Amino acid sequence: MLFSAMSLEAANWLMLQGTQPDNVAPKGVVGPYRNKMPVVWGFIQANYKQDYGDVFIDPNGVNKTPFSLLNPNLTDQEGFSLFRARLAARGMADNDNKVNYFFMTEFGNNAVNNLAGHDTATYFTDASVTLRHIPGLNARIGMFKTPGSEEGLRAVFVSPYIEFTTMTNQQLLERQVSKVGTAETGKAAGGASTVHYTSTDVTRPIAAFRDMGLELFDTFALGQGWTLSYAYMYGNGSGISHIASDHQATHYGYLALEDNFGAGRGFYTEALKFFVWGQTGKRLLYSTDVNGTTTPVKHDRKRYGIGLSYYQNGLRAEAEYMWAEGMIYTGAKDKDPDPYQEDWQLQFAVGTENKAAGGYLNLQYELLPKQFEVFGRYDFMNRLTNDTKGERDFQTFTLGCSYRFRGPTRIDFNYMIRDAKAPGNAAAQDVLDNMGDRLAIQVTAAF
């Protein structure tokens, strides 16, 4: 029921995720949507991955190659995983479709419940109510996806790519920490001269492109198939960690201009979309030094992006460029000297002088319409471009194919050709040379 209802709208993620459709056509006759029965739906994604990189343990027993291990546990290079298992309910709570709701749970083995091998289980990823009483201004309250990057905003069950792009994974998919050690520079910071902090306790789930707050949004018809969408959100900046505090208050903004060509439905709506987005907020850390003295430190976190998407006659093309300032995630760091086990903690270059930029270009083509497609994506990220010894440059080519049985139910094959450089740091390059390619096969079953 969900997928047939969703297909009556274009792939406008703001409206699809935040509202129920205005009209339905169950027997080809368009009429107002007035069904108060909750729509219960869900999907499962199970995958197999194998990483072909090398694992390097230094003489102190520390694992220096988390990039050669599989998320979310960061313990193995090969294995099967029930990656996502989500159950959701949505609907309208009144007789006039003015009050909509959306709830979703997560039971899979991913960073929502298991971040870098730490138990961060929260299970609830979405819980929101949308009020639609004012024309041109829908108000959504609760915990839900923030307006932002197309890669993060879209539904994960529609994409044939099994892993996110590097820039999105590292700098948009936020790791939430509060307790950190003392300030680090030099060797402890990967050679960087700017101040880094590493967590001492990982208890919060990954933000999963979500936050808790209030969003104002809507879409306007401009004529001749063109629409304009906007969104502004004020959030706690705490992701899905269920923390009711404004110490990390974050502002989110989004604009999209779309030309609907008139054919297709849902994810297969033939259209051209241009979009721009931005996020800015504070992040509060509590730093404890070697003497046990704890000091609060607060830093800005800024993220921006611009991009486009196109789909027509089986050809899909997408491109997005993103940049980041402050709270730059520099990777998982092993803090356990035992060479046979790891304690992964998360490191950040905190000041706004720390920058990163990256993006992707994606091409997909359906050899059999809406059933069998081939695809290729190039993505890159240049991290800490402000610091000669701290800079790391990543690029990945992902090639694959996908066979869809019905709707989102399908099997995806991905092969990732990965490379990383440390242009100003020979010692870091020796570690990065252990990076290898990766194979992933995933089955998505939707109901």
Side-chain angles (χ1 to χ4, degrees), residues 93-413:
D94 63 338
N95 294 321
D96 301 313
N97 201 12
K98 298 296 185 182
V99 181
N100 299 162
Y101 58 86
F102 185 99
F103 298 92
M104 181 181 284
T105 58
E106 170 64 275
F107 299 98
N109 182 34
N110 55 57
V112 170
N113 297 321
N114 176 10
L115 178 54
H118 300 272
D119 182 3
T120 56
T122 180
Y123 302 116
F124 260 103
T125 60
D126 297 79
S128 69
V129 173
T130 301
L131 306 178
R132 307 176 62 191
H133 297 82
I134 303 176
L137 195 152
N138 300 310
R140 191 178 187 188
I141 307 167
M143 183 171 65
F144 48 89
K145 278 195 172 183
T146 62
S149 166
E150 183 79 359
E151 192 177 8
L153 189 58
R154 71 185 172 201
V156 293
F157 58 77
V158 301
S159 175
Y161 290 102
I162 299 170
E163 295 194 357
F164 293 114
T165 62
T166 308
M167 182 68 182
T168 296
N169 178 52
Q170 290 196 22
Q171 308 308 331
L172 304 187
L173 196 54
E174 186 180 5
R175 283 81 173 163
Q176 291 272 329
V177 301
S178 59
K179 297 179 181 179
V180 297
T182 190
E184 301 168 316
T185 58
K187 183 178 180 180
S193 59
T194 56
V195 173
H196 289 48
Y197 286 97
T198 302
S199 66
T200 56
D201 190 19
V202 179
T203 59
R204 300 181 185 180
I206 204 160
F209 308 112
R210 290 163 168 83
D211 199 2
M212 188 177 296
L214 167 66
E215 178 186 51
L216 306 177
F217 69 101
D218 209 345
T219 296
F220 303 97
L222 302 179
Q224 297 184 336
W226 286 90
T227 60
L228 177 68
S229 300
Y230 81 93
Y232 166 75
M233 178 179 177
Y234 179 83
N236 286 341
S238 55
I240 58 173
S241 57
H242 302 178
I243 295 175
S245 170
D246 63 354
H247 290 310
Q248 300 192 151
T250 301
H251 301 270
Y252 306 85
Y254 176 90
L255 282 174
L257 181 66
E258 185 169 2
D259 182 11
N260 191 317
F261 302 145
R265 301 186 303 178
F267 184 59
Y268 294 103
T269 298
E270 297 194 349
L272 171 66
K273 179 167 67 174
F274 304 92
F275 57 90
V276 60
W277 57 270
Q279 307 171 0
T280 180
K282 300 286 186 180
R283 294 298 180 265
L284 177 64
L285 305 175
Y286 293 94
S287 172
T288 302
D289 62 22
V290 293
N291 299 316
T293 302
T294 299
T295 305
V297 290
K298 207 167 192 177
H299 292 279
D300 291 320
R301 181 183 185 273
K302 301 178 181 180
R303 302 292 186 269
Y304 309 97
I306 186 170
L308 62 87
S309 65
Y310 168 89
Y311 176 73
Q312 190 174 36
N313 297 327
L315 175 64
R316 189 180 304 275
E318 300 170 323
E320 189 168 2
Y321 183 77
M322 300 160 278
W323 56 101
E325 299 178 9
M327 293 301 296
I328 301 298
Y329 177 62
T330 59
K333 311 298 177 183
D334 180 17
K335 293 298 183 179
D336 192 330
D338 186 339
Y340 300 104
Q341 63 183 21
E342 293 84 25
D343 173 20
W344 296 110
Q345 297 295 326
L346 312 176
Q347 188 178 69
F348 300 85
V350 293
T352 52
E353 70 276 12
N354 299 294
K355 304 181 188 303
Y360 61 86
L361 174 63
N362 170 45
L363 293 174
Q364 299 170 225
Y365 185 71
E366 298 163 13
L367 298 178
L368 298 175
K370 301 179 183 63
Q371 187 171 39
F372 180 72
E373 67 177 343
V374 294
F375 48 85
R377 182 181 71 189
Y378 168 73
D379 77 81
F380 73 97
M381 180 183 70
N382 302 318
R383 192 181 75 198
L384 292 188
T385 53
N386 54 289
D387 194 301
T388 300
K389 290 192 173 182
E391 182 176 355
R392 305 288 188 270
D393 299 329
F394 303 84
Q395 65 175 7
T396 302
F397 290 91
T398 303
L399 304 174
C401 61
S402 178
Y403 183 84
R404 295 177 182 264
F405 300 98
R406 183 180 181 183
T409 299
R410 66 186 188 278
I411 182 170
D412 302 317
F413 298 85

Side-chain angles (χ1 to χ4, degrees), residues 44-52 70-71 77-84 159-163 375 398-403 405 410-416 437-445:
I44 291 172
Q45 290 183 317
N47 61 43
Y48 167 82
K49 293 183 181 181
Q50 183 172 2
D51 190 279
Y52 298 104
L70 302 179
N71 285 318
Q77 290 191 280
E78 180 182 7
F80 292 90
S81 176
L82 181 59
F83 188 51
R84 294 187 179 98
S159 175
Y161 290 102
I162 299 170
E163 295 194 357
F375 48 85
T398 303
L399 304 174
C401 61
S402 178
Y403 183 84
F405 300 98
R410 66 186 188 278
I411 182 170
D412 302 317
F413 298 85
N414 288 192
Y415 189 83
M416 290 153 271
D437 296 346
R438 182 171 290 181
L439 170 70
I441 303 170
Q442 180 166 275
V443 175
T444 298

